[in-house]
Amino acid sequence: MALYHINTKNIKAAAQTLNAGDTVYLSGICLLYTSDAAVYTSRDAAHKRIFELINKGAALPYDINGAVQYFAGPTPTPKGLAIGSCGPTTSSRMDVFSPKLLDMGLGAMIGKGPRSDEVCKAIVRNGSVYFCAVGGAGALASKCIKSCEVIAFSELGCESVKKLEFCEFPLTVAIDCHGGNLFKQ
C-alpha cells in the first residue's frame, strides 16, 4: 500500500497507478475555461436530474469527462467557513447511475461502502477509481475543502450540485481500475 498526492486534473492517469488500499490526498478544482477536472457533489436527487438532462440530450451542469463525483450533501455553511460538514453518503444508492457516467468519462467517485458488480466492471472498463472517505467525520473533512460553489439545482438544498476545491483531502482507494476491491479482499 502506497501514499499518493494527486491533483484532480490528472485523475484518469493517476488511476492507472493506484491499487485498492492505497492512501490518496486529493487536491484540485475546475477553474472556468480550463481543462482541469473538479470535484462535484452529487447525491440521489442530483443524479436523477442529471439523468433527465442526459435523456433529453441537454447540456449537463459540468463536464463529466475526467470529473470527480463526491457523494455528499454538505450541511449549510457556517459564517467564515468555506463549507459546512461534508462527509460521504452511502454510494450504493448511486449504483444505478454510475456505470453510464463512468462510460461517459467520469474519472473518479468518492463515497462510502461497497459498490455493485456493474459499477466495479465499469470502473475497470473505463480506467477509473472509487475512493472511500471516512464516514462520520464530515466536520473534519470539511477542513480540506477550501471553496464551495453551487452550480446546479439550487432548489435541492444540500443535494444541489456544488463545485469544490479540495486541498489534501484524505481518501482510501477502495476499488481500482485493475479489479482490486477492498470490499472483496
Side-chain angles (χ1 to χ4, degrees):
M1 301 203 206
L3 170 67
Y4 295 92
H5 296 268
I6 296 174
N7 189 288
T8 55
K9 68 180 176 181
N10 303 318
I11 198 68
K12 288 290 267 192
Q16 307 309 305
T17 65
L18 299 174
N19 293 295
D22 288 345
T23 298
V24 170
Y25 288 95
L26 188 64
S27 299
I29 188 168
C30 180
L31 301 172
L32 292 176
Y33 311 112
T34 73
S35 60
D36 290 353
V39 178
Y40 299 97
T41 63
S42 191
R43 285 181 33 166
D44 315 57
H47 272 75
K48 288 177 186 172
R49 297 284 287 279
I50 287 168
F51 267 71
E52 288 172 6
L53 294 173
I54 290 170
N55 291 335
K56 291 178 183 175
L60 299 182
Y62 60 94
D63 185 4
I64 293 290
N65 192 36
V68 178
Q69 280 188 339
Y70 183 20
F71 305 138
T75 63
T77 303
K79 188 171 183 143
L81 297 178
I83 195 168
S85 181
C86 191
T89 197
T90 303
S91 301
S92 61
R93 296 195 330 249
M94 274 52 76
D95 281 0
V96 68
F97 305 108
S98 294
K100 170 102 174 151
L101 295 174
L102 288 161
D103 289 343
M104 291 174 66
L106 184 65
M109 300 165 289
I110 303 168
K112 68 179 181 183
R115 307 302 303 270
S116 70
D117 287 340
E118 292 78 19
V119 173
C120 294
K121 289 175 187 172
I123 290 168
V124 171
R125 177 173 67 244
N126 292 287
S128 299
V129 62
Y130 170 57
F131 298 109
C132 280
V134 176
L140 184 59
S142 69
K143 294 178 187 267
C144 298
I145 301 172
K146 302 306 176 192
S147 69
C148 172
E149 175 189 358
V150 175
I151 63 162
F153 318 130
S154 61
E155 67 279 5
L156 297 177
C158 74
E159 289 205 39
S160 64
V161 175
K162 297 167 185 69
K163 180 172 67 173
L164 305 179
E165 177 184 1
F166 272 19
C167 185
E168 298 288 302
F169 195 95
L171 300 165
T172 299
V173 176
I175 303 170
D176 64 42
C177 67
H178 315 290
N181 186 333
L182 284 183
F183 298 102
K184 294 187 177 184
Q185 293 178 350

